[in-house]
Amino acid sequence: MLITPQASARGTLRVKDTSKGRKAAQRALRRHWQLYLLVLLPVAYFIVFKYWPMTNAVIAFKSYNVIDGVWGSPWVGLDQFHRFFENPVFWTLLRNTFILSAYVLVASFPIPIILALALNEVRQKFFKRTVQMVTYAPYFISTVVVVSMTILFLSPRLGLANDVIGIFGIDSIDFLSRPEFFRHIYVWSDVWQTAGYSAVIYMAALAGIDPTLYEAAKVDGASRLQKIRHIDLPGILPTATVVLILGVGNVMAIGFEKAFLFQNTLNLSQSEIIATYTYRIGLLNADFSQASAIGLFNSVINLVLLVAVHLIAKRATGRGLW
């Protein structure tokens, strides 16, 4: 084989570049070893508790049993997915999960923006801080406590909601036993709990807007609504875009805990979602392979939605996650 002088020179340059890069990395490691040591534990945490367990998702393609273990169980290919797709409850689970998640997204996305814009216009600091504290505090309440409070509030005998509607001569309603109320209860209790926290993100974005824009708008005689429309909304658009993309990316990953706690046999037709069904199949029925297949299917749907919405937002607004 004939080696030309040009090829030999390119190979020599590549070796030199690799050697220089290795030496530069060694110098950086010696100079900043404290920082690398500080990062070591978090990286190890993610590898051990986040990435390594993902390898066990292989049981979605196996007929898992405890005796043979994850890698010793027999392969069944896509049989677990076929079982789930052919299950009579598949479309019900998919519909319930998608409708509930979409409802949460539609309700929870604009309200924090409206709250942040309203608080940004308040000039009395005491009132502004009070409203921030009142709306932000529910975020730190445990989901179990929020569900318990909601159940007591909607109780047909002791609940304040039925006391209020009783004033108008309406008979008491057992809200949690009627499927048509489940989604509304879930979504608006979630909005109450998270709206204040989400508004902080938009208020931080509003604080980063150039003050000279407001001064110019004041000189031009712009009203408050015009300032909001032409300065505030464009200023928080990048943040809102990222929040929306992440929200759509989690459409199928609706929270298990609150749905399970609100769930009962009477509202099961609308409260049974993929997360609660996976719990029943995996932990109660001990069908780990089927539960893993359902969870993997859910994750793939989320990934597809995330990438699709990112591409749409990138084309429409020029902004995205990457």
Side-chain angles (χ1 to χ4, degrees):
M1 179 179 176
L2 180 62
I3 300 177
T4 63
Q6 292 84 354
S8 177
R10 284 197 297 269
T12 303
L13 289 174
R14 192 178 297 112
V15 171
K16 289 182 178 179
D17 290 341
T18 304
S19 178
K20 288 181 180 179
R22 188 182 298 111
K23 290 180 179 179
Q26 291 175 352
R27 286 196 301 269
L29 182 61
R30 286 194 298 268
R31 183 180 302 175
H32 305 292
W33 66 269
Q34 299 94 336
L35 298 178
Y36 288 106
L37 184 62
L38 189 65
V39 171
L40 183 61
L41 284 179
V43 170
Y45 166 79
F46 278 100
I47 291 174
V48 173
F49 295 103
K50 300 295 182 181
Y51 290 101
W52 178 252
M54 290 172 63
T55 59
N56 292 328
V58 71
I59 66 175
F61 305 94
K62 293 189 171 189
S63 179
Y64 173 76
N65 62 79
V66 179
I67 296 176
D68 293 331
V70 174
W71 300 103
S73 299
W75 284 92
V76 294
L78 300 176
D79 286 355
Q80 301 295 348
F81 295 93
H82 290 158
R83 282 180 54 199
F84 179 54
F85 297 152
E86 294 171 358
N87 194 317
V89 302
F90 170 73
W91 290 109
T92 301
L93 293 173
L94 199 62
R95 183 179 65 251
N96 287 346
T97 304
F98 181 79
I99 292 176
L100 184 60
S101 302
Y103 190 1
V104 170
L105 181 63
V106 170
S108 63
F109 178 70
I111 290 180
I113 296 177
I114 296 171
L115 178 61
L117 293 173
L119 289 174
N120 192 53
E121 294 296 320
V122 175
R123 295 294 175 261
Q124 294 182 356
K125 292 184 178 181
F126 175 77
F127 178 76
K128 182 177 181 178
R129 290 173 180 174
T130 302
V131 173
Q132 280 185 281
M133 182 188 68
V134 171
T135 56
Y136 187 73
Y139 181 78
F140 297 98
I141 302 177
S142 168
T143 301
V144 176
V145 176
V146 170
V147 172
S148 300
M149 292 168 58
T150 307
I151 291 174
L152 289 175
F153 180 77
L154 299 176
S155 172
R157 290 186 298 173
L158 306 174
L160 180 61
N162 278 294
D163 290 341
V164 172
I165 65 175
I167 297 175
F168 301 96
I170 302 174
D171 294 335
S172 62
I173 302 172
D174 190 356
F175 293 96
L176 292 172
S177 67
R178 297 176 61 173
E180 63 269 22
F181 289 117
F182 170 79
R183 291 174 184 146
H184 304 298
I185 294 171
Y186 182 101
V187 170
W188 293 108
S189 64
D190 190 76
V191 169
W192 172 77
Q193 186 177 10
T194 61
Y197 175 81
S198 301
V200 172
I201 300 174
Y202 296 109
M203 292 187 69
L206 289 169
I209 296 176
D210 189 354
T212 58
L213 296 176
Y214 294 105
E215 296 174 2
K218 185 177 181 180
V219 171
D220 291 339
S223 63
R224 284 192 173 187
L225 290 178
Q226 289 174 328
K227 291 178 183 178
I228 291 174
R229 179 182 176 184
H230 297 289
I231 299 176
D232 291 342
L233 288 178
I236 65 175
L237 181 61
T239 302
T241 301
V242 173
V243 172
L244 179 62
I245 292 173
L246 294 176
V248 174
N250 289 320
V251 158
M252 300 298 291
I254 193 71
F256 159 79
E257 189 177 9
K258 183 178 289 187
F260 182 76
L261 293 172
F262 275 134
Q263 192 177 85
N264 57 59
T265 54
L266 297 176
N267 62 21
L268 205 60
S269 61
Q270 291 193 10
S271 64
E272 185 76 301
I273 59 177
I274 290 178
T276 57
Y277 184 76
T278 303
Y279 163 77
R280 297 180 191 280
I281 293 296
L283 294 183
L284 299 186
N285 296 346
D287 193 347
F288 302 110
S289 292
Q290 177 76 112
S292 298
I294 297 172
L296 189 58
F297 163 78
N298 203 29
S299 300
V300 171
I301 296 297
N302 280 329
L303 179 61
V304 171
L305 288 173
L306 179 64
V307 174
V309 175
H310 161 74
L311 294 176
I312 294 172
K314 193 78 172 180
R315 178 168 297 182
T317 66
R319 300 179 178 90
L321 292 179
W322 59 85

